[in-house]
Amino acid sequence: MKSGRPGSSDSKFPSVLGSDGAIDLTGGLVDQGVEEPPTSRPSGDAWVVDRDRRSLIPTASEAERTSRQRLEDSTSAEIHRAIADHFALGDYAAALNAAELQLGLDPEDEGARRYAANSRARLETRYTTRIGSLEYVYNLGVPSAKVRWLGLDPQASFLLSLVDGQTTVAEVLDLCKMGRLEALRVFTELLEAKAIVRVA
């Protein structure tokens, strides 16, 4: 009767016992010259591994590039609509902000450039009209001790410090070292907050 145990001589499995009676876990494969199959472990060279990884990254197809371009065009069209809408409603500050955003994306956009220039001109006219004249002279409308309670930023505080009852608005704008439109906006806000009053 044949034995089904792996160690029997009639078994199809290799014996784990060597000829000298010692346990042989290789089943005699070493003696038969059987080579170990190559492993699929990645190379230890980090550059090689990264190169292989990069070679598997798919490149952008023409369809993907076209889709991305359409998305950019769609975004640009939306910004242009927003610029036109703000300008039509007389919200020139918002129109200017949107136009400058578009110019940041596309400096060659002539439409956005025209809207930006027209918005600046309209805002400057609006601020100058509220002030009255750039030749007017203003003075503080609140005690000096209460100026800090106005919550002004450093630029506005510096502009306010130039309002002394002798210097014209035009001179204040030149001395404050701010952009003209920004200086006009701050001056107008100080006037509307009654932080300054006209004296001449």
Side-chain angles (χ1 to χ4, degrees):
M1 178 177 177
K2 295 183 179 180
S3 172
R5 293 181 302 168
S8 68
S9 58
D10 296 331
S11 173
K12 62 182 178 180
F13 298 103
S15 173
V16 297
L17 294 178
S19 57
D20 57 356
I23 295 176
D24 181 8
L25 297 179
T26 66
L29 294 178
V30 175
D31 296 337
Q32 298 174 20
V34 178
E35 297 181 0
E36 182 180 356
T39 66
S40 59
R41 289 180 299 174
S43 167
D45 189 329
W47 185 89
V48 173
V49 173
D50 186 62
R51 180 200 61 193
D52 295 340
R53 179 187 61 78
R54 285 184 281 108
S55 67
L56 298 176
I57 299 176
T59 57
S61 65
E62 185 63 30
E64 291 172 336
R65 288 194 292 270
T66 301
S67 176
R68 185 163 54 245
Q69 184 61 44
R70 286 176 179 171
L71 179 60
E72 292 174 356
D73 292 344
S74 174
T75 301
S76 177
E78 290 176 1
I79 295 176
H80 277 102
R81 282 195 296 272
I83 296 171
D85 289 345
H86 289 311
F87 194 89
L89 293 173
D91 190 350
Y92 303 121
L96 177 58
N97 288 337
E100 289 179 338
L101 172 62
Q102 176 58 23
L103 288 172
L105 298 174
D106 181 9
E108 304 301 322
D109 191 326
E110 288 301 323
R113 192 182 303 280
R114 285 194 297 272
Y115 268 114
N118 289 334
S119 296
R120 287 192 189 95
R122 298 291 181 91
L123 285 171
E124 184 169 335
T125 299
R126 176 178 292 177
Y127 294 145
T128 303
T129 300
R130 290 179 184 175
I131 293 169
S133 170
L134 299 185
E135 297 306 315
Y136 284 168
V137 175
Y138 284 83
N139 204 350
L140 288 179
V142 296
S144 301
K146 293 186 177 181
V147 169
R148 61 178 180 173
W149 301 113
L150 296 175
L152 304 178
D153 60 37
Q155 284 187 314
S157 296
F158 179 64
L159 185 149
L160 185 61
S161 71
L162 299 174
V163 178
D164 56 6
Q166 298 179 353
T167 308
T168 65
V169 176
E171 291 170 335
V172 169
L173 297 180
D174 290 337
L175 293 171
C176 70
K177 305 301 182 182
M178 297 169 62
R180 182 177 180 82
L181 187 60
E182 178 67 8
L184 281 169
R185 181 188 65 79
V186 172
F187 200 99
T188 302
E189 289 178 353
L190 292 172
L191 180 60
E192 292 176 346
K194 301 187 186 307
I196 55 178
V197 293
R198 180 188 166 194
V199 295

